[in-house]
Amino acid sequence: MTAFWAEPDFDAHELVQVVHDRASGLTAIIAVHSTHLGPAAGGTRFWHYNVPALAMSDALRLSRGMSYKNAMAGLPMGGGKAVILADEQRIKTPEMLAAFGDAVEGMGGRYVTAEDVGISEADMVTVSHRTDHVSGLPVTGQGRAGGDPGPFTAYGIYLGIRAAVRHKLGHDSLGGVRVAVQGTGSVGGGVARLLARDGARLTLADIHAERAAGLAAELGGTVVSSETIMGTACDVFSPNALGAILDDAGIAALDCAIVAGGANNQLARPEHGAALAARGILYAPDYVINAGGIISVATEYLARRNGNSGDVTEVNTLVEKIPGRLESIWQESESTGVSSDVVADRMAQKLIGRG
Ligand code: NAD
């Protein structure tokens, strides 16, 4: 058996806590990667792992990802992540969530949780009965930060696409720019609506074909199958569905100048960033362009902690810094010959005191 600190995903994490509560049946891992910039923020994933060791690598990898994302978003937050190990039936009880809340509370504010895959807003409300170190709670008033982070994520991606088009194609406007959108859910749908307003020409795909068709009917645009979207001739390919789509075959299929979208962990392996660059494709590192949601979640939390208003304007002001951050990544990438994903990682490492 390998000690977890010998795992490839272990990256000098400050704290990794395994929680077991016999009465409720909760088993969870809370990983704090870095608190250099502030409390370690990152959601809780509720997932059934066929191989329980994968829960540890998820917690380690995702918490480091949150350190990078929060740092590059300019937030005074570190990076953490929790994983609740679900059984095969994925049974989730209020008692388990309460025990999880106690575990978060026991960390004394070092870790701040929120929703992730398998955890709803209602679940977070249950957790919040046991700890204040929670975000992603329902909006408490008109114009206040909080609630669904999807629209803020979409706004940041739209601004990032505009910046990429300006940088790579030299166009100040999106009028007539061809954008292929993979995934038309909360984020992809929001991005498509904002792009359509600026006159972009959309090609849409979703495994739920009726979802893409409905959006195309609303906005104008073409629908293609989810199997062919990556090979669609376009200026911008915007992945907003799955991770790990930029693998050897995916990159070979691309017929675009820019990849800019919200899906997490788009590069199948680290070397795929260089593979995109070798094809002359401008890549917007995923965790930089999709930070709008965490900016909303963090603003909500900080407002509650500090007694600020935490309004939507504050969130939008921070989201509007995403294009500038992308521009500095691309400029450094071009002046050093290092791919944009690696430039972003190095910038993030520096910000968390590990440069
Ligand atoms: P969502 O579930 O609302 O939408 C995802 C859409 O993708 C669905 O309509 C689904 O049918 C479609 N889809 C799934 N597999 C597909 C495939 N192979 N081809 C085409 N379409 C496919 O999820 P979301 O909140 O819009 O998130 C989308 C992505 O963005 C995810 O990777 C998520 O991790 C990431 N992300 C979301 C947020 C946020 O604020 N919601 C923030 C950061 C990152």
mmCIF file with all atom_site columns, all heavy atoms in Angstrom, residues 184 189 192-193 196 202-205 209-224:
data_model
loop_
_atom_site.group_PDB
_atom_site.id
_atom_site.type_symbol
_atom_site.label_atom_id
_atom_site.label_alt_id
_atom_site.label_comp_id
_atom_site.label_asym_id
_atom_site.label_entity_id
_atom_site.label_seq_id
_atom_site.pdbx_PDB_ins_code
_atom_site.Cartn_x
_atom_site.Cartn_y
_atom_site.Cartn_z
_atom_site.occupancy
_atom_site.B_iso_or_equiv
_atom_site.pdbx_formal_charge
_atom_site.auth_seq_id
_atom_site.auth_comp_id
_atom_site.auth_asym_id
_atom_site.auth_atom_id
_atom_site.pdbx_PDB_model_num
ATOM 1   N N   . THR A 1 184 ? -25.011 22.825 -23.817 1.00 0.00 ? 184 THR A N   1
ATOM 2   C CA  . THR A 1 184 ? -25.862 24.020 -23.744 1.00 0.00 ? 184 THR A CA  1
ATOM 3   C C   . THR A 1 184 ? -26.674 24.002 -22.446 1.00 0.00 ? 184 THR A C   1
ATOM 4   O O   . THR A 1 184 ? -27.867 24.278 -22.434 1.00 0.00 ? 184 THR A O   1
ATOM 5   C CB  . THR A 1 184 ? -26.806 24.095 -24.972 1.00 0.00 ? 184 THR A CB  1
ATOM 6   O OG1 . THR A 1 184 ? -27.519 22.857 -25.073 1.00 0.00 ? 184 THR A OG1 1
ATOM 7   C CG2 . THR A 1 184 ? -26.022 24.324 -26.245 1.00 0.00 ? 184 THR A CG2 1
ATOM 8   N N   . GLY A 1 189 ? -25.335 27.452 -22.181 1.00 0.00 ? 189 GLY A N   1
ATOM 9   C CA  . GLY A 1 189 ? -26.522 28.194 -22.612 1.00 0.00 ? 189 GLY A CA  1
ATOM 10  C C   . GLY A 1 189 ? -26.352 29.685 -22.345 1.00 0.00 ? 189 GLY A C   1
ATOM 11  O O   . GLY A 1 189 ? -26.681 30.526 -23.184 1.00 0.00 ? 189 GLY A O   1
ATOM 12  N N   . ALA A 1 192 ? -23.874 31.144 -24.843 1.00 0.00 ? 192 ALA A N   1
ATOM 13  C CA  . ALA A 1 192 ? -24.482 31.277 -26.178 1.00 0.00 ? 192 ALA A CA  1
ATOM 14  C C   . ALA A 1 192 ? -25.396 32.506 -26.248 1.00 0.00 ? 192 ALA A C   1
ATOM 15  O O   . ALA A 1 192 ? -25.373 33.253 -27.230 1.00 0.00 ? 192 ALA A O   1
ATOM 16  C CB  . ALA A 1 192 ? -25.267 30.005 -26.513 1.00 0.00 ? 192 ALA A CB  1
ATOM 17  N N   . ARG A 1 193 ? -26.157 32.746 -25.183 1.00 0.00 ? 193 ARG A N   1
ATOM 18  C CA  . ARG A 1 193 ? -27.073 33.911 -25.182 1.00 0.00 ? 193 ARG A CA  1
ATOM 19  C C   . ARG A 1 193 ? -26.287 35.217 -25.267 1.00 0.00 ? 193 ARG A C   1
ATOM 20  O O   . ARG A 1 193 ? -26.652 36.133 -25.996 1.00 0.00 ? 193 ARG A O   1
ATOM 21  C CB  . ARG A 1 193 ? -27.933 33.919 -23.925 1.00 0.00 ? 193 ARG A CB  1
ATOM 22  C CG  . ARG A 1 193 ? -29.035 32.904 -23.974 1.00 0.00 ? 193 ARG A CG  1
ATOM 23  C CD  . ARG A 1 193 ? -30.072 33.080 -22.869 1.00 0.00 ? 193 ARG A CD  1
ATOM 24  N NE  . ARG A 1 193 ? -31.100 32.065 -23.077 1.00 0.00 ? 193 ARG A NE  1
ATOM 25  C CZ  . ARG A 1 193 ? -31.033 30.828 -22.585 1.00 0.00 ? 193 ARG A CZ  1
ATOM 26  N NH1 . ARG A 1 193 ? -30.009 30.473 -21.815 1.00 0.00 ? 193 ARG A NH1 1
ATOM 27  N NH2 . ARG A 1 193 ? -31.979 29.958 -22.853 1.00 0.00 ? 193 ARG A NH2 1
ATOM 28  N N   . ALA A 1 196 ? -24.762 35.570 -28.760 1.00 0.00 ? 196 ALA A N   1
ATOM 29  C CA  . ALA A 1 196 ? -25.774 35.874 -29.779 1.00 0.00 ? 196 ALA A CA  1
ATOM 30  C C   . ALA A 1 196 ? -26.116 37.362 -29.766 1.00 0.00 ? 196 ALA A C   1
ATOM 31  O O   . ALA A 1 196 ? -26.308 37.977 -30.824 1.00 0.00 ? 196 ALA A O   1
ATOM 32  C CB  . ALA A 1 196 ? -27.024 35.036 -29.527 1.00 0.00 ? 196 ALA A CB  1
ATOM 33  N N   . LEU A 1 202 ? -23.534 31.009 -34.242 1.00 0.00 ? 202 LEU A N   1
ATOM 34  C CA  . LEU A 1 202 ? -23.408 29.888 -33.308 1.00 0.00 ? 202 LEU A CA  1
ATOM 35  C C   . LEU A 1 202 ? -23.658 28.537 -33.964 1.00 0.00 ? 202 LEU A C   1
ATOM 36  O O   . LEU A 1 202 ? -24.558 28.390 -34.786 1.00 0.00 ? 202 LEU A O   1
ATOM 37  C CB  . LEU A 1 202 ? -24.436 30.054 -32.173 1.00 0.00 ? 202 LEU A CB  1
ATOM 38  C CG  . LEU A 1 202 ? -24.313 31.316 -31.316 1.00 0.00 ? 202 LEU A CG  1
ATOM 39  C CD1 . LEU A 1 202 ? -25.484 31.399 -30.344 1.00 0.00 ? 202 LEU A CD1 1
ATOM 40  C CD2 . LEU A 1 202 ? -22.993 31.314 -30.551 1.00 0.00 ? 202 LEU A CD2 1
ATOM 41  N N   . THR A 1 203 ? -22.849 27.564 -33.552 1.00 0.00 ? 203 THR A N   1
ATOM 42  C CA  . THR A 1 203 ? -23.141 26.152 -33.813 1.00 0.00 ? 203 THR A CA  1
ATOM 43  C C   . THR A 1 203 ? -23.223 25.502 -32.438 1.00 0.00 ? 203 THR A C   1
ATOM 44  O O   . THR A 1 203 ? -22.309 25.665 -31.626 1.00 0.00 ? 203 THR A O   1
ATOM 45  C CB  . THR A 1 203 ? -22.031 25.493 -34.653 1.00 0.00 ? 203 THR A CB  1
ATOM 46  O OG1 . THR A 1 203 ? -21.863 26.243 -35.851 1.00 0.00 ? 203 THR A OG1 1
ATOM 47  C CG2 . THR A 1 203 ? -22.385 24.054 -34.998 1.00 0.00 ? 203 THR A CG2 1
ATOM 48  N N   . LEU A 1 204 ? -24.318 24.781 -32.184 1.00 0.00 ? 204 LEU A N   1
ATOM 49  C CA  . LEU A 1 204 ? -24.568 24.270 -30.835 1.00 0.00 ? 204 LEU A CA  1
ATOM 50  C C   . LEU A 1 204 ? -24.696 22.751 -30.846 1.00 0.00 ? 204 LEU A C   1
ATOM 51  O O   . LEU A 1 204 ? -25.212 22.168 -31.803 1.00 0.00 ? 204 LEU A O   1
ATOM 52  C CB  . LEU A 1 204 ? -25.876 24.868 -30.297 1.00 0.00 ? 204 LEU A CB  1
ATOM 53  C CG  . LEU A 1 204 ? -26.003 26.395 -30.341 1.00 0.00 ? 204 LEU A CG  1
ATOM 54  C CD1 . LEU A 1 204 ? -27.440 26.807 -29.981 1.00 0.00 ? 204 LEU A CD1 1
ATOM 55  C CD2 . LEU A 1 204 ? -25.023 27.054 -29.383 1.00 0.00 ? 204 LEU A CD2 1
ATOM 56  N N   . ALA A 1 205 ? -24.233 22.130 -29.750 1.00 0.00 ? 205 ALA A N   1
ATOM 57  C CA  . ALA A 1 205 ? -24.417 20.677 -29.614 1.00 0.00 ? 205 ALA A CA  1
ATOM 58  C C   . ALA A 1 205 ? -24.605 20.323 -28.145 1.00 0.00 ? 205 ALA A C   1
ATOM 59  O O   . ALA A 1 205 ? -24.002 20.947 -27.261 1.00 0.00 ? 205 ALA A O   1
ATOM 60  C CB  . ALA A 1 205 ? -23.200 19.934 -30.167 1.00 0.00 ? 205 ALA A CB  1
ATOM 61  N N   . ALA A 1 209 ? -30.125 16.481 -27.370 1.00 0.00 ? 209 ALA A N   1
ATOM 62  C CA  . ALA A 1 209 ? -30.213 17.248 -28.623 1.00 0.00 ? 209 ALA A CA  1
ATOM 63  C C   . ALA A 1 209 ? -31.322 18.295 -28.581 1.00 0.00 ? 209 ALA A C   1
ATOM 64  O O   . ALA A 1 209 ? -31.189 19.383 -29.156 1.00 0.00 ? 209 ALA A O   1
ATOM 65  C CB  . ALA A 1 209 ? -30.425 16.292 -29.787 1.00 0.00 ? 209 ALA A CB  1
ATOM 66  N N   . GLU A 1 210 ? -32.421 17.979 -27.856 1.00 0.00 ? 210 GLU A N   1
ATOM 67  C CA  . GLU A 1 210 ? -33.551 18.924 -27.836 1.00 0.00 ? 210 GLU A CA  1
ATOM 68  C C   . GLU A 1 210 ? -33.167 20.216 -27.111 1.00 0.00 ? 210 GLU A C   1
ATOM 69  O O   . GLU A 1 210 ? -33.706 21.283 -27.389 1.00 0.00 ? 210 GLU A O   1
ATOM 70  C CB  . GLU A 1 210 ? -34.805 18.268 -27.219 1.00 0.00 ? 210 GLU A CB  1
ATOM 71  C CG  . GLU A 1 210 ? -34.814 18.055 -25.709 1.00 0.00 ? 210 GLU A CG  1
ATOM 72  C CD  . GLU A 1 210 ? -33.819 17.014 -25.193 1.00 0.00 ? 210 GLU A CD  1
ATOM 73  O OE1 . GLU A 1 210 ? -33.230 16.253 -25.993 1.00 0.00 ? 210 GLU A OE1 1
ATOM 74  O OE2 . GLU A 1 210 ? -33.602 16.972 -23.967 1.00 0.00 ? 210 GLU A OE2 1
ATOM 75  N N   . ARG A 1 211 ? -32.205 20.120 -26.200 1.00 0.00 ? 211 ARG A N   1
ATOM 76  C CA  . ARG A 1 211 ? -31.752 21.309 -25.469 1.00 0.00 ? 211 ARG A CA  1
ATOM 77  C C   . ARG A 1 211 ? -31.030 22.262 -26.428 1.00 0.00 ? 211 ARG A C   1
ATOM 78  O O   . ARG A 1 211 ? -31.290 23.460 -26.458 1.00 0.00 ? 211 ARG A O   1
ATOM 79  C CB  . ARG A 1 211 ? -30.783 20.855 -24.371 1.00 0.00 ? 211 ARG A CB  1
ATOM 80  C CG  . ARG A 1 211 ? -30.720 21.761 -23.198 1.00 0.00 ? 211 ARG A CG  1
ATOM 81  C CD  . ARG A 1 211 ? -29.957 21.120 -22.061 1.00 0.00 ? 211 ARG A CD  1
ATOM 82  N NE  . ARG A 1 211 ? -30.761 20.216 -21.275 1.00 0.00 ? 211 ARG A NE  1
ATOM 83  C CZ  . ARG A 1 211 ? -30.266 19.401 -20.327 1.00 0.00 ? 211 ARG A CZ  1
ATOM 84  N NH1 . ARG A 1 211 ? -28.967 19.368 -20.085 1.00 0.00 ? 211 ARG A NH1 1
ATOM 85  N NH2 . ARG A 1 211 ? -31.059 18.629 -19.631 1.00 0.00 ? 211 ARG A NH2 1
ATOM 86  N N   . ALA A 1 212 ? -30.132 21.701 -27.265 1.00 0.00 ? 212 ALA A N   1
ATOM 87  C CA  . ALA A 1 212 ? -29.413 22.521 -28.248 1.00 0.00 ? 212 ALA A CA  1
ATOM 88  C C   . ALA A 1 212 ? -30.397 23.068 -29.280 1.00 0.00 ? 212 ALA A C   1
ATOM 89  O O   . ALA A 1 212 ? -30.307 24.242 -29.672 1.00 0.00 ? 212 ALA A O   1
ATOM 90  C CB  . ALA A 1 212 ? -28.323 21.692 -28.921 1.00 0.00 ? 212 ALA A CB  1
ATOM 91  N N   . ALA A 1 213 ? -31.358 22.223 -29.685 1.00 0.00 ? 213 ALA A N   1
ATOM 92  C CA  . ALA A 1 213 ? -32.321 22.659 -30.711 1.00 0.00 ? 213 ALA A CA  1
ATOM 93  C C   . ALA A 1 213 ? -33.177 23.809 -30.179 1.00 0.00 ? 213 ALA A C   1
ATOM 94  O O   . ALA A 1 213 ? -33.442 24.786 -30.888 1.00 0.00 ? 213 ALA A O   1
ATOM 95  C CB  . ALA A 1 213 ? -33.190 21.484 -31.130 1.00 0.00 ? 213 ALA A CB  1
ATOM 96  N N   . GLY A 1 214 ? -33.602 23.715 -28.924 1.00 0.00 ? 214 GLY A N   1
ATOM 97  C CA  . GLY A 1 214 ? -34.422 24.771 -28.319 1.00 0.00 ? 214 GLY A CA  1
ATOM 98  C C   . GLY A 1 214 ? -33.661 26.089 -28.271 1.00 0.00 ? 214 GLY A C   1
ATOM 99  O O   . GLY A 1 214 ? -34.211 27.156 -28.574 1.00 0.00 ? 214 GLY A O   1
ATOM 100 N N   . LEU A 1 215 ? -32.397 26.011 -27.934 1.00 0.00 ? 215 LEU A N   1
ATOM 101 C CA  . LEU A 1 215 ? -31.581 27.226 -27.841 1.00 0.00 ? 215 LEU A CA  1
ATOM 102 C C   . LEU A 1 215 ? -31.342 27.823 -29.231 1.00 0.00 ? 215 LEU A C   1
ATOM 103 O O   . LEU A 1 215 ? -31.392 29.046 -29.411 1.00 0.00 ? 215 LEU A O   1
ATOM 104 C CB  . LEU A 1 215 ? -30.242 26.892 -27.161 1.00 0.00 ? 215 LEU A CB  1
ATOM 105 C CG  . LEU A 1 215 ? -29.454 28.062 -26.629 1.00 0.00 ? 215 LEU A CG  1
ATOM 106 C CD1 . LEU A 1 215 ? -30.191 28.774 -25.493 1.00 0.00 ? 215 LEU A CD1 1
ATOM 107 C CD2 . LEU A 1 215 ? -28.081 27.591 -26.123 1.00 0.00 ? 215 LEU A CD2 1
ATOM 108 N N   . ALA A 1 216 ? -31.114 26.942 -30.205 1.00 0.00 ? 216 ALA A N   1
ATOM 109 C CA  . ALA A 1 216 ? -30.902 27.428 -31.575 1.00 0.00 ? 216 ALA A CA  1
ATOM 110 C C   . ALA A 1 216 ? -32.166 28.110 -32.087 1.00 0.00 ? 216 ALA A C   1
ATOM 111 O O   . ALA A 1 216 ? -32.091 29.130 -32.781 1.00 0.00 ? 216 ALA A O   1
ATOM 112 C CB  . ALA A 1 216 ? -30.504 26.268 -32.487 1.00 0.00 ? 216 ALA A CB  1
ATOM 113 N N   . ALA A 1 217 ? -33.329 27.572 -31.711 1.00 0.00 ? 217 ALA A N   1
ATOM 114 C CA  . ALA A 1 217 ? -34.581 28.194 -32.148 1.00 0.00 ? 217 ALA A CA  1
ATOM 115 C C   . ALA A 1 217 ? -34.728 29.573 -31.510 1.00 0.00 ? 217 ALA A C   1
ATOM 116 O O   . ALA A 1 217 ? -35.215 30.516 -32.129 1.00 0.00 ? 217 ALA A O   1
ATOM 117 C CB  . ALA A 1 217 ? -35.766 27.300 -31.768 1.00 0.00 ? 217 ALA A CB  1
ATOM 118 N N   . GLU A 1 218 ? -34.246 29.696 -30.277 1.00 0.00 ? 218 GLU A N   1
ATOM 119 C CA  . GLU A 1 218 ? -34.366 30.981 -29.558 1.00 0.00 ? 218 GLU A CA  1
ATOM 120 C C   . GLU A 1 218 ? -33.371 32.026 -30.094 1.00 0.00 ? 218 GLU A C   1
ATOM 121 O O   . GLU A 1 218 ? -33.709 33.202 -30.252 1.00 0.00 ? 218 GLU A O   1
ATOM 122 C CB  . GLU A 1 218 ? -34.091 30.717 -28.060 1.00 0.00 ? 218 GLU A CB  1
ATOM 123 C CG  . GLU A 1 218 ? -34.101 31.939 -27.182 1.00 0.00 ? 218 GLU A CG  1
ATOM 124 C CD  . GLU A 1 218 ? -33.500 31.635 -25.793 1.00 0.00 ? 218 GLU A CD  1
ATOM 125 O OE1 . GLU A 1 218 ? -33.642 30.494 -25.300 1.00 0.00 ? 218 GLU A OE1 1
ATOM 126 O OE2 . GLU A 1 218 ? -32.872 32.563 -25.231 1.00 0.00 ? 218 GLU A OE2 1
ATOM 127 N N   . LEU A 1 219 ? -32.148 31.576 -30.377 1.00 0.00 ? 219 LEU A N   1
ATOM 128 C CA  . LEU A 1 219 ? -31.064 32.523 -30.661 1.00 0.00 ? 219 LEU A CA  1
ATOM 129 C C   . LEU A 1 219 ? -30.694 32.607 -32.140 1.00 0.00 ? 219 LEU A C   1
ATOM 130 O O   . LEU A 1 219 ? -29.955 33.506 -32.543 1.00 0.00 ? 219 LEU A O   1
ATOM 131 C CB  . LEU A 1 219 ? -29.796 32.119 -29.891 1.00 0.00 ? 219 LEU A CB  1
ATOM 132 C CG  . LEU A 1 219 ? -29.923 31.981 -28.368 1.00 0.00 ? 219 LEU A CG  1
ATOM 133 C CD1 . LEU A 1 219 ? -28.613 31.458 -27.786 1.00 0.00 ? 219 LEU A CD1 1
ATOM 134 C CD2 . LEU A 1 219 ? -30.281 33.326 -27.739 1.00 0.00 ? 219 LEU A CD2 1
ATOM 135 N N   . GLY A 1 220 ? -31.139 31.627 -32.921 1.00 0.00 ? 220 GLY A N   1
ATOM 136 C CA  . GLY A 1 220 ? -30.610 31.469 -34.277 1.00 0.00 ? 220 GLY A CA  1
ATOM 137 C C   . GLY A 1 220 ? -29.339 30.651 -34.152 1.00 0.00 ? 220 GLY A C   1
ATOM 138 O O   . GLY A 1 220 ? -28.705 30.641 -33.100 1.00 0.00 ? 220 GLY A O   1
ATOM 139 N N   . GLY A 1 221 ? -28.958 29.973 -35.212 1.00 0.00 ? 221 GLY A N   1
ATOM 140 C CA  . GLY A 1 221 ? -27.758 29.138 -35.140 1.00 0.00 ? 221 GLY A CA  1
ATOM 141 C C   . GLY A 1 221 ? -28.057 27.747 -35.636 1.00 0.00 ? 221 GLY A C   1
ATOM 142 O O   . GLY A 1 221 ? -29.208 27.394 -35.906 1.00 0.00 ? 221 GLY A O   1
ATOM 143 N N   . THR A 1 222 ? -26.998 26.973 -35.743 1.00 0.00 ? 222 THR A N   1
ATOM 144 C CA  . THR A 1 222 ? -27.096 25.636 -36.319 1.00 0.00 ? 222 THR A CA  1
ATOM 145 C C   . THR A 1 222 ? -26.880 24.624 -35.209 1.00 0.00 ? 222 THR A C   1
ATOM 146 O O   . THR A 1 222 ? -26.123 24.888 -34.280 1.00 0.00 ? 222 THR A O   1
ATOM 147 C CB  . THR A 1 222 ? -25.950 25.469 -37.348 1.00 0.00 ? 222 THR A CB  1
ATOM 148 O OG1 . THR A 1 222 ? -25.948 26.613 -38.179 1.00 0.00 ? 222 THR A OG1 1
ATOM 149 C CG2 . THR A 1 222 ? -26.083 24.220 -38.178 1.00 0.00 ? 222 THR A CG2 1
ATOM 150 N N   . VAL A 1 223 ? -27.524 23.475 -35.329 1.00 0.00 ? 223 VAL A N   1
ATOM 151 C CA  . VAL A 1 223 ? -27.301 22.394 -34.367 1.00 0.00 ? 223 VAL A CA  1
ATOM 152 C C   . VAL A 1 223 ? -26.541 21.275 -35.064 1.00 0.00 ? 223 VAL A C   1
ATOM 153 O O   . VAL A 1 223 ? -26.861 20.924 -36.199 1.00 0.00 ? 223 VAL A O   1
ATOM 154 C CB  . VAL A 1 223 ? -28.648 21.855 -33.836 1.00 0.00 ? 223 VAL A CB  1
ATOM 155 C CG1 . VAL A 1 223 ? -28.418 20.674 -32.904 1.00 0.00 ? 223 VAL A CG1 1
ATOM 156 C CG2 . VAL A 1 223 ? -29.405 22.951 -33.103 1.00 0.00 ? 223 VAL A CG2 1
ATOM 157 N N   . VAL A 1 224 ? -25.511 20.762 -34.401 1.00 0.00 ? 224 VAL A N   1
ATOM 158 C CA  . VAL A 1 224 ? -24.836 19.561 -34.910 1.00 0.00 ? 224 VAL A CA  1
ATOM 159 C C   . VAL A 1 224 ? -24.838 18.520 -33.787 1.00 0.00 ? 224 VAL A C   1
ATOM 160 O O   . VAL A 1 224 ? -25.159 18.839 -32.637 1.00 0.00 ? 224 VAL A O   1
ATOM 161 C CB  . VAL A 1 224 ? -23.384 19.849 -35.390 1.00 0.00 ? 224 VAL A CB  1
ATOM 162 C CG1 . VAL A 1 224 ? -23.365 20.823 -36.548 1.00 0.00 ? 224 VAL A CG1 1
ATOM 163 C CG2 . VAL A 1 224 ? -22.503 20.338 -34.244 1.00 0.00 ? 224 VAL A CG2 1
#
